[in-house]
């Protein structure tokens, strides 16, 4: 067989003509002289490939393993294979054996070899592949979305966040890159103690703050700590996230619906429960603020209160309502998150835990957020970047809220719960029109969510409405989303 030679700096590689590839190294590195003679070792600049060789006949086993990987779709068309030298080193085989197998599979049409481009999996007809069970189809995101619970993702301050992250990584002592303290890094706990005291009135010692991976994680930790301390029942507002009620149940607590009226949660109805979950600053999804008298009742209540302050920074035409935790720090677990102020994907949340529950809570901590993200958020807070982000998005969301109010007013309707937060309630008569409107909206590419989806199981459907999240759409899509909402309401 005719031989040809492909040469790297300082090293000659013998390759069968038209059969296998030149070593797969970065072209720019070779041109720039960054790879010195003798520096490229087998597999150093190649790719990894997992193969299990059946039987004792090495060449036949390698052929079979590669052929099966292509046939079953584990190696998809276009996948680059390791160089013959690298694969031989990885498998402990002679390089000629690998080169011969590659040649055989190229001849059969399973692989393609081009000089300078390496060996890749050849394109195959669909009929040649073993059919796989159909994958579960992924949910298609609606074109326009006015469901609550998510901020405008395009408002994330990516440049400021990246600049802060670079600064943190460059300056952080290497020991901070080890596995973080399960309770969270001291830098973030200290930054949050100052921020929460200044902005939300929280009485927070850094030692009583626990960092968690978002509110759901924090709620699971809180419920598990309560259960380990002997609690059995958690009173939960009758309208709220079903996922939160499910989390409590998974952790061994029995959820009990708590009535909500125009003054917020009815605290007296929590008698007999061991703990209660409240959204006092801005009830979700009804939007009411817990009345001062009921705040005092909650502060005097004998059980543990979990305070979900999910959007406490977003208030518009009223003075901010401070955290309930400040009235009773010894029996209120304060929970906050960066999911609305930044983005949910960061998975950053925090708990301010009463001293008597701190050990039980810390014992439940597993799988917390990234230490690098914690350091970045700490610096973002200390540098003022977090405050700037809150003020900027607060102004943007207030403008969106005003546009929503004006748009539905032209339809002869009104929304409530608009003094704060990221959603508003458009009340409807309880006649089934809620479901009809949601279905009509879906036909026009607009996602809406009804109040009924937040109602606790077994609780009477005593009201109906649309919970309109005006923070979710990107700015360029908000105008069209509002127009479609109004068109549906007009019908």
């Amino acid at each position: 067989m005719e031989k040809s030679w492909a040469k790297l700096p300082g090293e000659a590689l013998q390759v069968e003509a038209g059969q296998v590839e030149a070593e797969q190294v970065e072209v720019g590195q070779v041109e720039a002289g960054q790879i010195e003679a003798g520096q490229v070792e087998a597999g150093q600049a190649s790719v990894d490939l997992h193969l299990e060789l059946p039987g004792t006949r090495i060449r036949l086993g390698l052929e079979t393993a590669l052929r099966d990987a292509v046939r079953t779709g584990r190696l998809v068309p276009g996948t680059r294979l390791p160089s013959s030298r690298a694969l031989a080193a990885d498998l402990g085989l002679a390089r000629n054996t690998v080169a011969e197998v590659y040649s055989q599979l190229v001849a059969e049409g399973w692989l393609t070899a081009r000089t300078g481009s390496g060996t890749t999996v050849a394109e195959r007809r669909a009929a040649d592949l073993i059919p796989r069970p159909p994958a579960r189809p992924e949910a298609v995101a609606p074109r326009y979305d006015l469901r609550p619970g998510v901020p405008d993702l395009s408002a994330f301050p990516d440049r400021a966040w990246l600049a802060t992250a670079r600064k943190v990584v460059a300056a952080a002592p290497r020991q901070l890159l080890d596995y973080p303290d399960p309770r969270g890094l001291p830098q973030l706990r200290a930054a949050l103690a100052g921020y929460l005291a200044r902005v939300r009135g929280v009485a927070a010692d850094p030692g009583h703050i626990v960092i968690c991976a978002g509110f759901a994680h924090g709620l699971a930790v809180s419920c598990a700590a309560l259960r380990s301390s002997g609690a059995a029942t958690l009173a939960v507002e009758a309208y709220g996230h079903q996922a939160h009620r499910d989390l409590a149940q998974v952790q061994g607590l029995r959820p009990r619906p708590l009535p909500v009226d125009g003054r917020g949660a009815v605290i007296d109805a929590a008698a007999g429960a061991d703990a209660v979950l409240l959204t006092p600053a801005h009830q979700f999804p009804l939007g009411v603020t817990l009345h001062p008298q009921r705040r005092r009742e909650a502060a005097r209540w004998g059980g543990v209160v979990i305070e979900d302050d999910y959007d406490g920074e977003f208030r518009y035409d009223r003075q901010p309502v401070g955290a309930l935790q400040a009235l009773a720090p010894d029996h209120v677990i304060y929970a906050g998150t960066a999911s609305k102020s930044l983005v949910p994907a960061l998975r950053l949340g925090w708990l301010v835990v009463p001293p008597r529950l701190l050990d039980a809570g810390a014992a439940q901590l597993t799988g917390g957020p990234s230490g690098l993200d914690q350091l970045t958020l700490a610096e973002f807070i200390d540098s003022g970047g977090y405050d700037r982000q809150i003020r900027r998005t607060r102004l943007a969301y207030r403008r969106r809220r005003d546009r929503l109010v004006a748009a539905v007013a032209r339809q002869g309707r009104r929304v409530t719960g608009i003094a704060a937060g990221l959603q508003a309630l458009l009340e409807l008569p309880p006649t089934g029109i809620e479901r009809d409107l949601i279905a009509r909206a879906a036909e026009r590419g607009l996602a809406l969510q009804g109040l009924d989806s937040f109602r606790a199981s077994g609780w009477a459907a005593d009201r109906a409405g649309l919970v309109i999240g005006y923070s979710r759409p990107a700015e360029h899509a908000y105008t069209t989303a509002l127009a479609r909402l109004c068109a549906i309401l007009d019908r």
Side-chain angles (χ1 to χ4, degrees), residues 152-173:
D152 178 3
L153 304 182
S154 66
F156 178 64
D158 46 5
R159 292 184 180 179
W161 183 264
L162 286 172
T164 305
R166 291 191 194 98
K167 177 181 177 182
V168 163
V169 172

Side-chain angles (χ1 to χ4, degrees), residues 15-354:
V15 183
E16 300 287 347
Q19 186 179 42
V20 210
E21 65 291 328
E23 288 293 336
Q24 297 163 348
V25 296
E26 296 292 336
V27 174
Q29 283 185 306
V30 176
E31 292 176 350
Q34 295 174 3
I35 300 180
E36 301 295 336
Q39 194 176 24
V40 178
E41 299 176 359
Q44 180 177 332
S46 191
V47 294
D48 287 335
L49 176 63
H50 172 73
L51 291 173
E52 293 184 4
L53 307 187
T56 57
R57 299 175 63 185
I58 301 301
R59 173 175 168 170
L60 178 61
L62 180 56
E63 274 187 32
T64 301
L66 283 169
R67 194 180 290 113
D68 288 347
V70 175
R71 182 189 293 115
T72 59
R74 189 167 69 84
L75 294 179
V76 299
T79 301
R80 188 181 69 176
L81 299 184
S83 66
S84 59
R85 168 177 293 202
L87 186 58
D90 288 345
L91 298 178
L93 305 178
R95 185 183 177 195
N96 283 344
T97 299
V98 177
E100 290 168 2
V101 168
Y102 277 5
S103 284
Q104 180 64 33
L105 296 180
V106 167
E108 293 178 9
W110 297 98
L111 305 180
T112 300
R114 294 186 180 88
T115 303
S117 299
T119 303
T120 58
V121 176
E123 296 293 333
R124 305 282 294 167
R125 294 177 302 156
D128 295 334
L129 303 176
I130 293 178
R132 291 183 170 185
R136 179 181 299 176
E138 295 184 7
V140 178
R143 186 171 184 183
Y144 302 101
D145 200 341
L146 289 176
R147 292 174 296 179
V150 177
D152 178 3
L153 304 182
S154 66
F156 178 64
D158 46 5
R159 292 184 180 179
W161 183 264
L162 286 172
T164 305
R166 291 191 194 98
K167 177 181 177 182
V168 163
V169 172
R174 297 300 95 175
Q175 61 266 26
L176 286 181
L177 304 184
D178 201 346
Y179 292 107
D181 185 331
R183 296 171 299 170
L185 291 178
Q187 290 85 345
L188 180 54
R189 287 187 278 148
L192 282 169
Y195 174 81
L196 295 174
R198 171 171 56 85
V199 174
R200 303 296 299 129
V202 172
D205 181 283
H208 299 160
I209 294 178
V210 168
I211 307 302
C212 47
F215 175 76
H217 181 214
L219 178 60
V221 166
S222 300
C223 290
L226 289 169
R227 182 66 181 138
S228 69
S229 302
T233 305
L234 177 70
V236 184
E237 294 162 335
Y239 286 89
H241 285 292
Q242 181 59 42
H244 296 169
R245 295 186 282 266
D246 293 342
L247 269 174
Q249 198 158 13
V250 167
Q251 297 301 329
L253 297 180
R254 184 174 68 256
R256 197 176 85 192
L258 193 64
V260 181
D261 58 23
R263 304 172 76 186
V266 181
I267 305 300
D268 288 345
D274 299 298
V276 60
L277 172 61
L278 300 175
T279 51
H282 184 235
Q283 201 281 333
F284 183 89
L286 301 178
V288 297
T289 300
L290 192 63
H291 190 274
Q293 179 182 342
R294 292 190 180 172
R295 286 170 60 87
R296 292 190 292 271
E297 291 173 2
R300 293 193 301 266
W301 190 65
V304 173
V305 176
I306 303 174
E307 178 181 11
D308 179 4
D309 195 33
Y310 70 100
D311 64 358
E313 298 99 336
F314 295 105
R315 83 282 181 202
Y316 307 117
D317 24 41
R318 64 163 166 76
Q319 289 298 313
V321 177
L324 176 64
Q325 187 267 0
L327 300 179
D330 289 337
H331 77 267
V332 175
I333 300 175
Y334 175 89
T337 174
S339 296
K340 306 298 185 294
S341 52
L342 293 172
V343 284
L346 286 175
R347 309 304 301 154
L348 280 167
W350 45 87
L351 302 174
V352 181
V353 185

Side-chain angles (χ1 to χ4, degrees), residues 434-459:
E434 176 184 310
R435 290 190 298 274
D436 292 342
L437 288 174
I438 293 171
R440 288 183 206 167
E443 292 172 358
R444 298 175 65 93
L446 174 65
L448 297 175
Q449 194 162 1
L451 189 57
D452 193 61
S453 64
F454 297 103
R455 178 171 54 88
S457 176
W459 191 260

